[in-house]
Amino acid sequence: CTCMPIGLLKFSINLSSILTILLALFSFGVTFFGFANSDIWSDNVNSRNVILYCLLGISAGLLLMGISGVIGAMRKNVCLLTVFSVGTVVFLCIFMAIAIISFVFPGSVFPDSCDNKVWAPLIQR
């Protein structure tokens, strides 16, 4: 019977979409925590705002992508499922590039040590 693999595919798309929505909500929480406690972790206002607004944009993109995956799987809409699939691949590539850059060039991503006055209040919490 061919209905079992299609049901399994729909379940896996729904599960990954829900996980994407949960990741987006967690990212929103981290962003709002960063806005609320922004005086603790960075002295440079411009770089702090750029980082937080980029994280806010990424969170919104993840949320829209997760919603398109759930709606696309429920309605069997190929366009929404394509948006979800392409978005998943794009975000995966972006996150992998950030991880590779942070491992290859750790001095440019993390210029200061953890005993700096910027990181000390966060570590002591």
Side-chain angles (χ1 to χ4, degrees):
C1 178
T2 60
C3 60
M4 182 61 175
I6 292 174
L8 185 62
L9 180 65
K10 186 176 177 180
F11 173 75
S12 66
I13 290 174
N14 276 329
L15 181 66
S16 62
S17 299
I18 290 171
L19 290 176
T20 304
I21 291 172
L22 290 176
L23 177 67
L25 293 176
F26 176 75
S27 184
F28 273 125
V30 168
T31 304
F32 292 139
F33 177 79
F35 275 119
N37 299 320
S38 61
D39 55 339
I40 294 175
W41 63 276
S42 180
D43 291 333
N44 190 353
V45 176
N46 291 332
S47 66
R48 175 180 63 212
N49 288 339
V50 167
I51 290 170
L52 289 175
Y53 286 125
C54 285
L55 188 57
L56 192 64
I58 289 171
S59 302
L62 280 173
L63 186 65
L64 291 174
M65 189 180 70
I67 291 171
S68 72
V70 169
I71 293 173
M74 288 168 43
R75 295 188 180 180
K76 298 178 184 173
N77 189 334
V78 177
C79 180
L80 289 174
L81 289 175
T82 304
V83 167
F84 175 71
S85 299
V86 170
T88 302
V89 170
V90 167
F91 276 113
L92 180 68
C93 290
I94 289 172
F95 289 141
M96 287 185 65
I98 291 171
I100 290 170
I101 288 171
S102 67
F103 280 118
V104 172
F105 304 110
S108 63
V109 178
F110 306 109
D112 298 325
S113 66
C114 287
D115 36 57
N116 187 344
K117 68 178 180 78
V118 173
W119 297 107
L122 289 177
I123 295 171
Q124 293 172 355
R125 283 186 177 198

